[in-house]
């Protein structure tokens, strides 16, 4: 499995060891998903153009997109003009929608 490198060498080593144990059958798939989640690297920032493109790709209005992300339409508008930047859970949801599609949240 490929993933973004974490900022911690120790986490990278733990994750690599867990992958080896999983390949040898000592760790089941469910436990491996837990290790994958714990060892995720940071998510890159989203520029306004990328947010607008993601919303357009899924043919959503700002209001509906905001509802999917559990934020306000005003916040989405501010992201798209660059007045604010998404962070925390919103940043992770944007990344998830980009990688897996909108269906993953519905």
């Amino acid at each position: 499995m490929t993933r973004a490198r974490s900022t911690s060498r120790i986490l990278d080593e733990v994750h690599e060891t867990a992958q080896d144990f999983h390949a040898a059958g000592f760790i089941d798939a469910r436990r491996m998903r837990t290790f994958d989640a714990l060892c995720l690297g940071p998510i890159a920032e989203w520029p306004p153009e990328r947010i607008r493109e993601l919303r357009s790709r899924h043919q959503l209005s700002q209001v509906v997109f905001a509802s999917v992300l559990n934020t306000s339409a005003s916040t989405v508008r501010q992201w798209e003009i660059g007045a604010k930047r998404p962070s925390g859970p919103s940043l992770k949801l944007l990344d998830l929608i980009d990688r897996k599609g909108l269906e993953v949240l519905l």
Side-chain angles (χ1 to χ4, degrees), residues 73-88:
S74 171
T75 298
V76 171
R77 258 189 305 281
Q78 290 178 347
W79 290 344
E80 290 187 0
I81 63 170
K84 281 181 125 179
R85 293 180 181 212
S87 62

Side-chain angles (χ1 to χ4, degrees), residues 44-84:
E45 291 200 18
W46 278 67
E49 306 80 36
R50 190 171 175 203
I51 296 168
R52 202 170 21 256
E53 185 276 325
L54 180 65
R55 182 177 60 78
S56 296
R57 184 178 354 139
H58 291 286
Q59 300 176 346
L60 299 173
S61 67
Q62 288 179 337
V63 173
V64 174
F65 196 54
S67 177
V68 168
L69 296 171
N70 197 30
T71 191
S72 70
S74 171
T75 298
V76 171
R77 258 189 305 281
Q78 290 178 347
W79 290 344
E80 290 187 0
I81 63 170
K84 281 181 125 179

Side-chain angles (χ1 to χ4, degrees), residues 12-31:
D12 289 339
E13 295 297 328
V14 168
H15 192 258
E16 185 178 333
T17 302
Q19 286 176 321
D20 292 341
F21 281 144
H22 177 65
F26 295 113
I27 295 178
D28 63 11
R30 183 177 180 190
R31 177 84 47 185

